[in-house]
Amino acid sequence: MARGKSKQVVYDFIDYVGEEWMDHVEAIGCDMNSDFEEAFEERCTHIQPVFDYFHIVKNMNEKLINEIRKDEQARLIAEGNMEAAKHLKKSKHVLCSKKATRDRKDEAAQKGIVKQKKSDLFNLPEIKAIGGWNDKFDLLIKENELLFKADLIKEKITAAYQEDHEWKMAKQIIEIIDLCNETKNEHFIWFANLLSNHFEGIIAHATIKITSSKIEGINNRIKTIRRMGYGYPDDEYFFLKIIDMSRRNPL
């Protein structure tokens, strides 16, 4: 644990565990924080950074698909096509979700699964799972070419991260970069640059199957602790709370 996300955090960590200990480390799982990647490469040149699938898709959902959705909605409103613009309203979760997730939600609606029970005490109605996720998704990508291309690229990224050979994964990532650049769209070009700038760390996943998913889970638990305490002005006490939470058998 450390306070902050600067390069100095990595330097302090390496100094703490020692250069000899770091010599046994072959790779590290990274998010898209360039400072951490550069700091490890500066101090430990033998280490291979690896960027996992979760962070690539997270950036794609938030900074590519969602931005395109907002741009397309604004364009349709400016053109007076209010019906098509209405379809894009509140469609972020539909566009960013995987097909397996949409299938699961549609299946829950077909089974009549209850998401919220009726409560007379709090005057709450019964709410059942709502279907039509796949239908709405199909409608959106048919009406918007850029959203269709974004979905195609997401499928290609999923396929690329299932490869076990770096050269095969590299070939697929290069194809994705070319597809993004061909659109001439600023958001696609941004995503292509993201893939290009992290290329080696992305294709390394083909042979080094590590992920930072456990760290992301721990981060969520840390955020929960902070919310439960309404924030902690004392960092040492806060870190002790995190250590206590991390025990396998809490006292």
Side-chain angles (χ1 to χ4, degrees):
M1 290 185 299
R3 191 176 189 279
K5 296 182 179 181
S6 65
K7 285 186 178 182
Q8 190 61 45
V9 169
V10 176
Y11 300 150
D12 291 343
F13 170 77
I14 294 172
D15 291 338
Y16 178 75
V17 299
E19 298 282 353
E20 185 178 349
W21 190 90
M22 291 300 297
D23 287 341
H24 299 285
V25 179
E26 297 179 11
I28 54 166
C30 277
D31 59 13
M32 312 310 285
N33 186 327
S34 59
D35 284 347
F36 274 24
E37 177 191 5
E38 290 172 5
F40 275 111
E41 288 177 344
E42 288 170 7
R43 293 286 300 272
C44 306
T45 55
H46 66 285
I47 289 179
Q48 173 63 59
V50 180
F51 301 106
D52 61 17
Y53 175 78
F54 169 81
H55 288 102
I56 298 295
V57 172
K58 182 181 179 183
N59 275 279
M60 183 174 186
N61 285 339
E62 293 180 357
K63 299 178 182 179
L64 175 61
I65 295 177
N66 194 41
E67 292 302 316
I68 290 171
R69 180 186 68 86
K70 290 189 289 187
D71 287 352
E72 286 294 286
Q73 189 175 21
R75 179 183 65 81
L76 291 168
I77 290 173
E79 292 175 355
N81 191 347
M82 304 307 294
E83 186 64 26
K86 184 179 178 181
H87 293 159
L88 283 169
K89 189 176 182 181
K90 296 182 180 179
S91 62
K92 177 182 176 181
H93 294 298
V94 175
L95 291 169
C96 293
S97 61
K98 297 187 293 185
K99 188 178 186 305
T101 302
R102 298 194 301 271
D103 289 342
R104 187 173 66 249
K105 289 180 179 292
D106 281 346
E107 185 180 352
Q110 291 174 0
K111 291 180 178 179
I113 292 176
V114 176
K115 294 180 65 178
Q116 177 181 285
K117 292 183 178 180
K118 182 179 179 181
S119 173
D120 294 329
L121 178 62
F122 297 105
N123 194 28
L124 295 174
E126 180 183 86
I127 299 177
K128 293 185 177 181
I130 300 172
W133 282 67
N134 278 314
D135 291 339
K136 185 172 183 180
F137 178 82
D138 292 340
L139 176 64
L140 290 170
I141 63 172
K142 283 179 182 177
E143 291 181 340
N144 299 274
E145 184 182 354
L146 288 176
L147 291 175
F148 172 78
K149 288 184 177 179
D151 181 61
L152 176 64
I153 287 169
K154 182 182 281 191
E155 289 182 2
K156 285 184 172 292
I157 288 173
T158 301
Y161 266 88
Q162 293 173 353
E163 293 289 355
D164 294 325
H165 300 281
E166 282 195 13
W167 68 269
K168 289 183 178 180
M169 188 172 182
K171 182 179 178 181
Q172 294 200 48
I173 296 298
I174 291 170
E175 288 178 0
I176 293 168
I177 292 170
D178 290 341
L179 281 172
C180 288
N181 286 325
E182 285 172 7
T183 65
K184 306 297 183 182
N185 177 274
E186 61 176 325
H187 304 301
F188 277 97
I189 292 172
W190 174 87
F191 188 66
N193 291 335
L194 179 76
L195 297 180
S196 297
N197 293 336
H198 297 84
F199 187 79
E200 288 189 11
I202 291 172
I203 65 171
H205 187 273
T207 52
I208 307 173
K209 302 291 187 180
I210 61 174
T211 173
S212 56
S213 58
K214 287 186 178 181
I215 297 299
E216 294 300 326
I218 292 170
N219 284 344
N220 285 332
R221 293 192 69 181
I222 291 171
K223 290 175 184 177
T224 300
I225 291 173
R226 186 175 58 193
R227 285 195 298 269
M228 289 172 64
Y230 295 94
Y232 294 92
D234 187 333
D235 285 349
E236 290 188 13
Y237 178 72
F238 182 39
F239 278 27
L240 287 173
K241 293 284 288 185
I242 296 170
I243 293 169
D244 186 56
M245 171 271 293
S246 304
R247 296 179 182 182
R248 288 184 179 272
N249 297 303
L251 297 177

